[in-house]
Structure formats: C-alpha cells, structure tokens
C-alpha cells in the first residue's frame, strides 16, 4: 500500500507570493492533518480535515488555509508569504480522526519551503 | 494547554548500548501517546502508539512505557545500532475530547547518535 505522498518536495518562493502544497493520504484514510516544522518552534499543528470539513485549526494566521477533496486529497495554501514561513510542511493521514481510540498517524516526506 | 518535554535533547552512545529516552506531558488526561522517528530532512515514521489503557508496547528492539498518572513515557532501545541514529519525538493529543481529532502536540525531540 502506498504511503502518504506530498508534492512538491521542494519549493522556493519570494516574499509576497502564494504557494499551494498537496497531500495524498494513504488509500482508505479519510483524515488529513497538516503540520509546520521549524528549528525554532518544532512541530506545530496547522489544521485537520475529515470528510472535506475542517475539524481543527491551529494558531496560525488566516494566510494559512486548506481544503480537502472528495477523494480525501488535501491542499494547503499560504498567501502573502513571509520569510518566517520557511519550513518543512508535513502532512499526516489516518483512517479517521482520533477519538476515544486513536488512530496511528502516518506522515508524508514533507514539502520543504524556502521563502527568499 | 498540553505541553510535552523530552529529555535529553541530544544523546550520543556507542553501538550496542541500551538507552532510554524520556518524554513528559503536563496534562495526564490523554488517551494515547505516540513515538515517532525522524531522519534528517525527512518525514516522521510512527514507531509505537500506546493507548491510555496500556502500560507498554513493544516492537522489535523498541519498548515504550506509559505512566499517565505521573505524565511520563519512556522509549527503551535495546542493543543500539548506527542505523538508529535519528531524532525521536513523542506526541500526545492536544485535547481530551472526541472532537479533538488527530491534533497532536509534539515534544522537541531527542537527537540520537549511535557511534560504530
């Protein structure tokens, strides 16, 4: 079974531009979460989608948005890029959102974004 | 607000040594805890998931324990190998609600180096 895939793997943008990252979950998984990883802040939760609905959102500005399609693939968009947005963006998928019995989350390889 | 701390931040050991990585969390009302491994520049690989009703989980040379009451978990690696060199992260759900989904709070990680 194929793992979580993320495209593109590397991206270089300039300040003020916008960017769209894509995540394809493991087949059959319906929950997709996004995280930002930076050396200073570590791993921080961005948002989670399940059945095309955003279930949770982290403490990020409105420039960060996402969506999920009917096939569970997800995209995240960052508008008006800032230097501080340079990071590794990780996507994770699970069968369903963790409830009383949590589902193991499977992470993709990430998209490394560099903002110049 | 859930906070996760990992000690030590870095660890260097000779090959063959048994070692213990520590993780502590502030809110003991969790229903699971996950340990992940991250190789440089790569995504996260799930190692073990412990449900709150469990005290231990084992996978090969890895053994993870969970003590909810004290807010601690340990990851024990037996007979360490150079291939175990990576950053090890623990994560717990950010909130203890059924709607919290898969939102995880991560520790800063322990960077492990196993020297041949």
């Amino acid at each position: 079974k194929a793992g979580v895939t993320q495209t593109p793997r590397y991206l270089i943008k300039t300040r003020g531009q916008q960017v769209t990252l894509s995540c394809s979950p493991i087949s059959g998984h319906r929950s997709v979460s996004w995280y930002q990883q930076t050396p200073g802040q570590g791993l921080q939760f961005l948002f989670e989608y399940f059945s095309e609905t955003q279930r949770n959102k982290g403490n990020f500005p409105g420039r960060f948005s996402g969506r999920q399609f009917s096939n569970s693939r997800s995209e995240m968009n960052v508008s008006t890029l800032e230097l501080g947005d340079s990071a590794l963006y990780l996507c994770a998928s699970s069968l369903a959102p963790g409830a009383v019995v949590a589902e193991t989350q499977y992470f993709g390889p990430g998209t490394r974004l560099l903002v110049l | 607000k859930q906070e996760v701390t990992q000690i030590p931040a870095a660890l260097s050991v000779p090959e063959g040594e048994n070692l213990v990585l520590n993780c502590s969390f502030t809110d003991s009302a969790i229903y699971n805890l996950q340990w992940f491994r991250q190789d440089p520049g790569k995504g996260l690989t799930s190692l073990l998931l412990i449900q709150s009703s469990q005290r231990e989980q084992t996978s090969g040379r890895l053994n993870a324990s969970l003590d909810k009451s004290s807010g601690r978990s340990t990851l024990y690696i037996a007979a360490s190998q150079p291939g175990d060199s990576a950053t090890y992260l623990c994560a717990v759900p950010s909130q203890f609600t059924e709607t919290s989904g898969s939102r995880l709070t991560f520790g800063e990680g322990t960077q492990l180096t196993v020297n041949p």
Side-chain angles (χ1 to χ4, degrees):
Chain A
K1 185 183 276 192
V4 178
T5 58
Q6 292 187 245
T7 57
R9 294 293 311 280
Y10 304 93
L11 209 48
I12 300 176
K13 293 285 188 178
T14 56
R15 279 184 301 173
Q17 287 187 309
Q18 76 165 18
V19 66
T20 299
L21 311 182
S22 180
C23 171
S24 293
I26 291 172
S27 177
H29 285 193
R30 297 168 60 196
S31 174
V32 175
S33 301
W34 289 89
Y35 293 83
Q36 180 196 66
Q37 186 176 32
T38 58
Q41 299 296 319
L43 272 155
Q44 292 188 294
F45 173 81
L46 280 157
F47 26 65
E48 180 196 13
Y49 287 87
F50 176 70
S51 293
E52 302 177 63
T53 302
Q54 186 181 89
R55 284 174 52 93
N56 278 287
K57 191 177 193 305
N59 297 323
F60 280 82
R63 300 185 296 106
F64 291 81
S65 63
R67 60 178 176 169
Q68 186 180 35
F69 302 95
S70 58
N71 61 359
S72 295
R73 189 177 70 85
S74 177
E75 289 181 347
M76 68 163 282
N77 183 275
V78 187
S79 62
T80 319
L81 284 166
E82 300 177 359
L83 297 179
D85 297 333
S86 296
L88 180 66
Y89 290 87
L90 292 163
C91 161
S93 78
S94 60
L95 282 170
V100 176
V101 178
E103 299 284 347
T104 297
Q105 290 198 53
Y106 297 88
F107 282 77
T111 294
R112 171 103 28 212
L113 171 65
L114 177 62
V115 182
L116 301 175
Chain B
K1 177 188 171 187
Q2 180 72 270
E3 293 182 359
V4 180
T5 304
Q6 290 188 246
I7 295 174
L11 183 63
S12 182
V13 301
E15 182 176 3
E17 192 161 299
N18 301 326
L19 56 100
V20 175
L21 308 181
N22 297 291
C23 171
S24 61
F25 43 94
T26 55
D27 186 348
S28 62
I30 64 170
Y31 48 82
N32 69 78
L33 181 145
Q34 282 187 252
W35 281 93
F36 293 89
R37 166 187 173 140
Q38 185 175 31
D39 293 285
K42 302 288 181 63
L44 276 63
T45 300
S46 179
L47 297 174
L48 291 164
L49 181 148
I50 312 177
Q51 303 288 2
S52 61
S53 57
Q54 300 172 316
R55 293 191 64 86
E56 281 189 9
Q57 272 284 17
T58 298
S59 176
R61 295 181 294 108
L62 306 179
N63 176 277
S65 68
L66 175 62
D67 184 344
K68 275 184 55 178
S69 61
S70 67
R72 293 181 182 181
S73 176
T74 61
L75 179 66
Y76 175 83
I77 303 177
S80 59
Q81 303 171 357
D84 294 331
S85 298
T87 296
Y88 290 80
L89 298 129
C90 68
V92 296
S94 299
Q95 296 170 301
F96 188 66
T97 67
E98 289 193 6
T99 58
S100 64
S102 304
R103 178 175 183 165
L104 297 176
T105 296
F106 284 85
E108 291 293 323
T110 293
Q111 186 173 352
L112 173 65
T113 302
V114 181
N115 301 299

